[in-house]
Amino acid sequence: MEKNEQMRAVLAAVDTGEYDCDMSVKELDGLCKTAGLAVCGAVVQEKKTPDAATFLGRGKLEELAQAADRMDAGLLVFDGELSGSQIRNIEELTQLAVLDRTTLILDIFAKNALTKEGAIQVELAQLRYRLPRLAGMGKNLSRLGAGIGTRGPGESKLESDRRHIARRIAALQRQLKEIERRRGLAESRRQKNGVKTVALAGYTNVGKSTLLNTLTGSGVLTENKLFATLDPTARQLRLPDGGQAVLIDTVGFISRLPHHLVEAFRSTLGHIGGADLILNVCDVTSPYYEKQDEVTRQVLNDLHCGHIPVLSVLNKMDAAGGPVLLPRREAVCISAKTGLGLPELLHRIERELYGPARVFTFLVPYSDGGAAAAIRNGSRLLEETYTDSGQRLVVRCGTHFAGQWRQYLQVTRPEPVK
């Protein structure tokens, strides 16, 4: 194989009827391309349950091996989690390398983990996934390599010693707890200072990072690949009526997100659990965008985020090519690329965080300059005058924000401001 030539792979799946198999296989195809594989075909078998020994069954597996031979493919990628014995049996029967869906996702995560926290979480997920599979993989445990599926902590002595792996998992968990402790202190300071947080959640590759860049003017990496963003990114967001918030981009979701990833990435996903508002971003150009909305909400429930308000955001409207069915009545249609719908989105965010915008007048004594500065920075200043009694500030802001300074409140115009 030439140095720049991509490894060719054939996909394999069992359609049990429990989920949308067509959607899942297309996602697996996208994962393979993100990992640098060239997908040259797919074999799907309708079956009530995967075969306990070979996932597909011996006959279908022989058919798969023949298809791979015709296509000159050296790798089989299975749309599901394989046990150690299944991997061993499939490799012995087909004489081909084997990956499953979870290993492929973990490999992509290992490639994209840029921070120490991200690397720790990826290694923890890899070790947790490998540990129960040690007994069945036999000679495969000694595999060494630098290809897809081997990134991360390595596959030599580490995998052959259960006690070593268990000790390593414990050490990684201690490091993550320390990271979570420091994050908890930072979140406590934000809450004490009244800083609101908005978390971007949703499927991978729906444009969350592009939306973050457009709203905040930052330069976060954006790529048309799955899981291009792994480590959390926080940026300050200015709202139309003067309010402020911290906008946080996190790792994307995917259907049938492996349990190991959810557990290992609780540190990163903790950003979502501490938010005041979650934006569930969906890609309207995907035929499965309603399913994406549903999957994201299910993952959020698994993360115990059901108490946090969620606003559905339908992205890429510039490329929709026709009318769009809203998965939720309150959904906002936008294009992070062109700016379409972003003013409405910002107003909706501010209304969710601070309540309906109204015009308020405050009279702040000169002795409390900090309060005057906070009111000025947290709202849209309409008029400012200096009187014998103090600073008179006429501002437009949310009712919640105004309530924080009710001791200085003088006049309220009851009508909401458009």
Side-chain angles (χ1 to χ4, degrees):
M1 182 182 293
E2 297 292 331
K3 188 173 182 179
N4 295 327
E5 185 179 347
Q6 289 180 304
M7 179 179 289
R8 296 170 63 82
V10 176
L11 311 184
V14 172
D15 186 358
T16 62
E18 295 180 2
Y19 54 87
D20 191 326
C21 186
D22 181 60
M23 172 183 172
S24 188
V25 170
K26 287 183 179 179
E27 288 178 353
L28 186 66
D29 182 279
L31 289 167
C32 287
K33 291 175 181 175
T34 298
L37 296 172
V39 177
C40 50
V43 172
V44 178
Q45 181 184 36
E46 291 188 7
K47 197 176 178 71
K48 288 185 178 180
T49 58
D51 185 80
T54 58
F55 194 77
L56 288 180
R58 185 176 291 269
K60 201 68 174 180
L61 195 59
E62 290 176 356
E63 178 185 327
L64 178 64
Q66 293 171 3
D69 183 62
R70 290 195 304 271
M71 301 174 188
D72 194 27
L75 178 66
L76 303 178
V77 183
F78 286 77
D79 190 32
E81 289 192 357
L82 300 178
S83 66
S85 59
Q86 284 176 324
I87 294 174
R88 183 191 63 217
N89 294 337
I90 294 170
E91 289 187 339
E92 288 179 351
L93 287 171
T94 64
Q95 298 300 304
L96 295 169
V98 174
L99 284 180
D100 64 8
R101 182 185 181 94
T102 299
T103 304
L104 184 62
I105 293 175
L106 287 170
D107 182 83
I108 295 170
F109 274 38
K111 180 180 178 181
N112 292 342
L114 302 178
T115 66
K116 180 181 179 181
E117 180 183 4
I120 289 173
Q121 291 174 123
V122 170
E123 184 178 353
L124 182 59
Q126 288 176 320
L127 295 178
R128 281 176 169 167
Y129 186 64
R130 290 173 184 169
L131 185 58
R133 289 165 172 75
L134 295 181
M137 292 185 67
K139 65 181 181 180
N140 294 307
L141 298 181
S142 62
R143 289 186 303 175
L144 293 171
I148 295 169
T150 65
R151 297 186 182 100
E155 295 192 83
S156 54
K157 191 67 175 176
L158 183 65
E159 279 191 58
S160 67
D161 189 340
R162 295 187 184 204
R163 287 174 296 179
H164 182 91
I165 293 179
R167 288 195 298 268
R168 181 60 180 161
I169 287 175
L172 293 172
Q173 288 174 327
R174 287 193 296 270
Q175 294 181 52
L176 278 182
K177 284 183 179 178
E178 176 59 23
I179 291 173
E180 290 173 359
R181 185 189 68 82
R182 293 198 297 267
R183 175 175 297 131
L185 292 175
E187 289 181 355
S188 296
R189 285 195 297 269
R190 279 203 298 263
Q191 292 175 0
K192 183 177 179 181
N193 295 328
V195 178
K196 300 290 187 178
T197 57
V198 180
L200 292 170
Y203 241 61
T204 178
N205 201 34
V206 295
K208 297 189 301 298
S209 295
T210 301
L211 181 58
L212 178 80
N213 288 340
T214 304
L215 291 179
T216 66
S218 58
V220 176
L221 171 69
T222 57
E223 288 188 279
N224 187 26
K225 292 182 178 180
L226 302 182
F227 300 115
T229 300
L230 182 61
D231 300 301
T233 303
R235 295 290 185 271
Q236 187 177 37
L237 176 65
R238 295 284 300 183
L239 299 170
D241 289 314
Q244 298 185 47
V246 174
L247 186 62
I248 303 175
D249 186 16
T250 60
V251 62
F253 301 149
I254 198 168
S255 67
R256 299 159 60 220
L257 188 67
H259 176 72
H260 315 277
L261 296 183
V262 175
E263 284 299 312
F265 276 77
R266 282 196 181 276
S267 176
T268 290
L269 296 173
H271 284 290
I272 299 176
D276 297 288
L277 175 65
I278 297 173
L279 301 185
N280 177 5
V281 185
C282 304
D283 175 8
V284 295
T285 64
S286 168
Y288 307 107
Y289 72 89
E290 293 177 83
K291 182 66 175 178
Q292 292 177 359
D293 179 86
E294 179 184 329
V295 168
T296 299
R297 289 175 182 267
Q298 182 58 54
V299 174
L300 292 175
N301 285 332
D302 293 342
L303 293 170
H304 308 294
C305 298
H307 63 287
I308 303 173
V310 178
L311 179 60
S312 293
V313 179
L314 306 186
N315 190 26
K316 305 186 183 181
M317 286 297 297
D318 58 305
V324 173
L325 179 64
L326 301 183
R328 314 276 168 180
R329 285 192 306 170
E330 78 282 2
V332 181
C333 298
I334 68 160
S335 168
K337 182 178 179 180
T338 67
L340 174 70
L342 294 186
E344 180 188 354
L345 175 61
L346 288 171
H347 280 293
R348 292 288 297 275
I349 292 173
E350 190 158 42
R351 190 160 71 240
E352 289 287 343
L353 295 177
Y354 295 104
R358 300 179 186 277
V359 175
F360 298 89
T361 300
F362 297 90
L363 185 62
V364 184
Y366 293 114
S367 60
D368 196 352
I375 293 172
R376 191 184 298 108
N377 293 331
S379 62
R380 180 184 295 180
L381 183 63
L382 303 178
E383 182 183 333
E384 182 176 8
T385 56
Y386 296 86
T387 71
D388 293 339
S389 303
Q391 291 176 257
R392 182 176 177 273
L393 303 171
V394 181
V395 301
R396 180 179 295 143
C397 65
T399 53
H400 177 78
F401 177 81
Q404 298 177 34
W405 308 101
R406 62 175 59 88
Q407 69 270 35
Y408 301 134
L409 186 60
Q410 297 293 297
V411 179
T412 303
R413 297 183 193 172
E415 71 282 1
V417 177
K418 300 297 184 182

